[in-house]
Amino acid sequence: MIVRYADDFVLGFSDLEDAKRVFKVLPKRFEKYGLRIHPEKTKLIDLAGTGKGEERSFDFLGFTHYLGKSRKGYKVLKRKTSRKKFTGALRRMAWIKRNRNMRAVDLIAKVNIKLRGYYNYYGITFNFNGIRRYYLEVFKLLFKWLNRRGGRSKTGTTSTIY
């Protein structure tokens, strides 16, 4: 399989020998067209990784790709939100603190727009836990900063933001 986005791509092989053969020939093939492969970004990863200390996952397009098992026990390539993108998305939600003086209805409406954008990109098969974790962290942020606006303190029950 091949996944390509702009000038980046990932090649997937079921046979390690095929992967090694392509890995060896690929730089020569690229040179033919005046292209070079970035040596730091290019690596051969065995996701089944039987040796200790081997990489067993890789990040691409904001997802960490790793080998897991399906419900029926088959090996499946799974994806979850990469740690770097998750923390970056949470940092970008810091605007809640700066805008906590907005009417609560308007603030929640803006938060929902941002949540929907996040869900649309990261809402893929096997990433439910990442989506849920992001929702809960944003909920905590919203609760924290809305609760500091003065007046009576609210309780910390988890309800749905719509």
Side-chain angles (χ1 to χ4, degrees), residues 145-154:
W145 293 114
L146 285 179
N147 214 19
R148 284 173 166 67
R149 296 187 341 164
R152 264 182 74 204
S153 181
K154 287 82 176 167

Side-chain angles (χ1 to χ4, degrees), residues 2 5 29 36 40 44 49-50 62 64 66 84 87 91 96 98 100 105 112 119 130 132 134-135 146 148 160:
I2 182 169
Y5 183 78
R29 178 76 53 102
R36 288 189 319 244
E40 292 175 16
L44 186 63
T50 53
T64 299
Y66 62 100
K84 183 178 173 183
T87 55
R91 280 195 190 108
I96 293 173
R98 294 185 303 274
R100 66 180 180 255
V105 174
N112 282 331
Y119 298 160
R132 176 123 176 99
Y134 184 73
Y135 167 79
L146 285 179
R148 284 173 166 67
T160 309

